Amino acid sequence: MDISEQQSPIYEAKNKRHLLIRIIENILSLAFTIVLWLFIIITLYNKLYVNTNASLLHTLTIMTLVVIASILLIILWQFYNWLRFHRKKRRKDFPQQTLAEVGRLYGISAENMERLQQIRNVAVVEFRNHRYYYCIAGESPIEIGMLRKQ
């Protein structure tokens, strides 16, 4: 089998499932989700209000206090970090790179990098013959090379 005859690993949009099947799946998943939420809500209501006992109320009180204490601890920790680090510039900025340097990393010429930068919202990445290309409407595609080691 020739390499060009092999099936592309890119998922083709035209191979999507039928619209009716997708609609039925969405309706069924929504219905199952609603049923499960109703089951959870009814179960919690019965456990918390109908079958309430003293030990359950004690447990809920402790859990509420633990949640409140955890939230307060996180807020205090965030405030401490802000006081300690907010004025320190510990992160280093990356040096500005030219288009030629960026293009060299991806195996693209400086002229093609300028073309891509000028039309940045129109270029589409496609996979053809085991290579990636930037495809621009009405122009020849630009091959994207692998990352180059310097």
Side-chain angles (χ1 to χ4, degrees), residues 7-131:
Q7 188 176 12
S8 173
I10 303 300
Y11 179 74
E12 295 290 335
K14 62 185 175 186
N15 294 335
K16 286 185 179 178
R17 292 170 300 190
H18 194 269
L19 178 64
L20 183 62
I21 293 174
R22 286 185 285 149
I23 290 172
I24 291 172
E25 286 177 347
N26 287 337
I27 290 171
L28 286 176
S29 65
L30 182 63
F32 285 137
T33 303
I34 290 171
V35 167
L36 288 174
W37 274 105
L38 286 174
F39 175 75
I40 291 171
I41 290 170
I42 291 170
T43 304
L44 284 175
Y45 175 78
N46 286 333
K47 293 290 183 186
L48 295 177
Y49 295 107
V50 176
N51 301 329
T52 306
N53 57 28
S55 66
L56 179 64
L57 291 176
H58 183 67
T59 304
L60 287 176
T61 305
I62 291 173
M63 287 174 55
T64 304
L65 291 175
V66 167
V67 167
I68 292 171
S70 299
I71 291 171
L72 287 175
L73 183 68
I74 290 171
I75 290 171
L76 289 173
W77 185 256
Q78 181 219 358
F79 183 68
Y80 164 75
N81 282 332
W82 181 80
L83 283 177
R84 184 168 177 203
F85 298 114
H86 82 281
R87 294 200 180 174
K88 294 183 179 179
K89 300 260 183 185
R90 299 181 322 146
R91 300 178 196 269
K92 296 178 183 176
D93 293 334
F94 288 109
Q96 188 69 26
Q97 293 184 331
T98 65
L99 284 177
E101 291 172 332
V102 175
R104 188 173 49 238
L105 285 173
Y106 293 99
I108 301 175
S109 67
E111 297 84 24
N112 285 334
M113 286 299 295
E114 289 175 11
R115 278 177 51 205
L116 289 171
Q117 189 176 35
Q118 290 171 357
I119 52 134
R120 59 186 99 135
N121 292 333
V122 183
V124 177
V125 177
E126 289 186 7
F127 185 76
R128 301 179 192 167
N129 298 328
H130 304 286
R131 290 190 171 91

